Amino acid sequence: MATTSVATSSLLCQQADALSWSGRVTAGSANSSGSGLRKVACVARPERSAAQAGRRPAAAARCEATPAATRRNVLLGTASAVSLALAPAPLLDSALALAAPKGYAAHQDAVDRYQFYYPFGWQEVSVRGQDVVFKDVIEPLESVSVNIFPTEKTSLAEIGDINQVAQTLVEKVLTAPSQKTKLIDTRVRELDGRTYYDFEFVAQASSYTRHALGTIAIANGKFYTLTTGANERRWSRVEEKLRTVVASFVTL
């Protein structure tokens, strides 16, 4: 057990270091007029390469002078390659949006291979260290974020049992060091042969308490973490909605 504990802590702490958690959204984000909340650094999302965006790689136009190669052929080949590079990435499941429950929108990442539902009306924002973030524009603590970290592990069991892993995440990755945390509940979810660790926790800061839910998974050589939550004072109103978000998260 000691060896497993060290491995778990090492993996998750490496995750935190790699993500530059000064911009973490899970501890609560707000604008400069927020209620004493720490301002997160929101940055423009960098353009993905053709390969990263799931597009077909552009075949390099051959420019060698051959009897059949003319200036026109080279130009046409280049134009064709550019068209391929700019072609939109197809969704893995075009029916996903139609399957979203009433009051929810769907997000699917065909490159990193995951999907989930989020409350309709939440807006996407760019936050350093996160793969995607959607948040309520009025209630800054109501948000959902997904982080992805490469791993050589092939299952969650390799990094520890659910209580151990969730506790490490809550204390060392998903909250600020100054916050008081409490792990409330954990649950193992099995779906289509894949395992998910779902957990619930609270993080108390000096001016607010955030009630949060999370889920993690390992698939496709990646460690996925989805976290959502709200201000404790609004928890009773949004709990069911946020549980739907967590339950909808799956890897593809």
Side-chain angles (χ1 to χ4, degrees):
M1 178 62 71
T3 302
T4 304
S5 178
V6 171
T8 303
S9 181
S10 176
L11 174 64
L12 300 181
C13 288
Q14 286 175 18
Q15 178 184 10
D17 292 340
L19 293 175
S20 300
W21 284 96
S22 59
R24 94 192 82 193
V25 71
T26 51
S29 59
N31 56 30
S32 57
S33 60
S35 306
L37 306 186
R38 186 157 52 87
K39 185 176 181 181
V40 257
C42 293
V43 297
R45 178 174 295 170
E47 293 296 328
R48 292 183 176 181
S49 67
Q52 290 174 319
R55 303 166 182 158
R56 293 175 59 186
R62 294 186 177 181
C63 297
E64 298 90 357
T66 67
T70 65
R71 179 182 177 83
R72 177 181 175 83
N73 290 336
V74 171
L75 291 175
L76 287 175
T78 302
S80 176
V82 171
S83 296
L84 289 175
L86 296 179
L91 284 176
L92 294 179
D93 182 4
S94 59
L96 176 66
L98 298 178
K102 183 178 180 180
Y104 294 83
H107 176 77
Q108 184 181 73
D109 191 321
V111 178
D112 292 314
R113 302 186 66 80
Y114 68 88
Q115 66 185 40
F116 65 91
Y117 299 132
Y118 62 93
F120 186 79
W122 284 14
Q123 302 297 310
E124 182 175 5
V125 296
S126 294
V127 177
R128 183 178 294 112
Q130 304 293 328
D131 192 66
V132 69
V133 177
F134 292 94
K135 65 179 296 184
D136 188 297
V137 295
I138 298 176
E139 295 290 339
L141 289 182
E142 292 178 23
S143 63
V144 57
S145 62
V146 174
N147 166 254
I148 302 172
F149 184 68
T151 181
E152 295 181 356
K153 305 295 184 182
T154 59
S155 71
L156 292 173
E158 292 183 47
I159 61 174
D161 66 75
I162 185 170
N163 292 312
Q164 176 189 25
V165 174
Q167 189 71 50
T168 303
L169 276 169
V170 170
E171 293 181 351
K172 300 183 179 298
V173 179
L174 299 177
T175 59
S178 60
Q179 293 178 325
K180 295 181 180 179
T181 63
K182 180 181 179 181
L183 181 63
I184 298 175
D185 190 27
T186 59
R187 180 178 301 177
V188 177
R189 175 164 52 103
E190 300 283 349
L191 184 64
D192 296 330
R194 292 185 174 177
T195 301
Y196 301 83
Y197 283 179
D198 297 346
F199 53 96
E200 178 180 354
F201 67 97
V202 292
Q204 182 179 357
S206 59
S207 57
Y208 67 91
T209 297
R210 188 173 195 248
H211 200 135
L213 302 171
T215 187
I216 59 175
I218 289 180
N220 311 312
K222 300 177 177 67
F223 184 103
Y224 300 84
T225 304
L226 176 144
T227 313
T228 186
N231 195 307
E232 183 67 80
R233 63 179 172 78
R234 283 180 49 83
W235 179 250
S236 61
R237 302 184 210 177
V238 300
E239 177 183 0
E240 183 178 352
K241 182 186 301 184
L242 300 184
R243 290 193 185 279
T244 297
V245 173
V246 169
S248 73
F249 178 81
V250 294
T251 57
L252 305 171

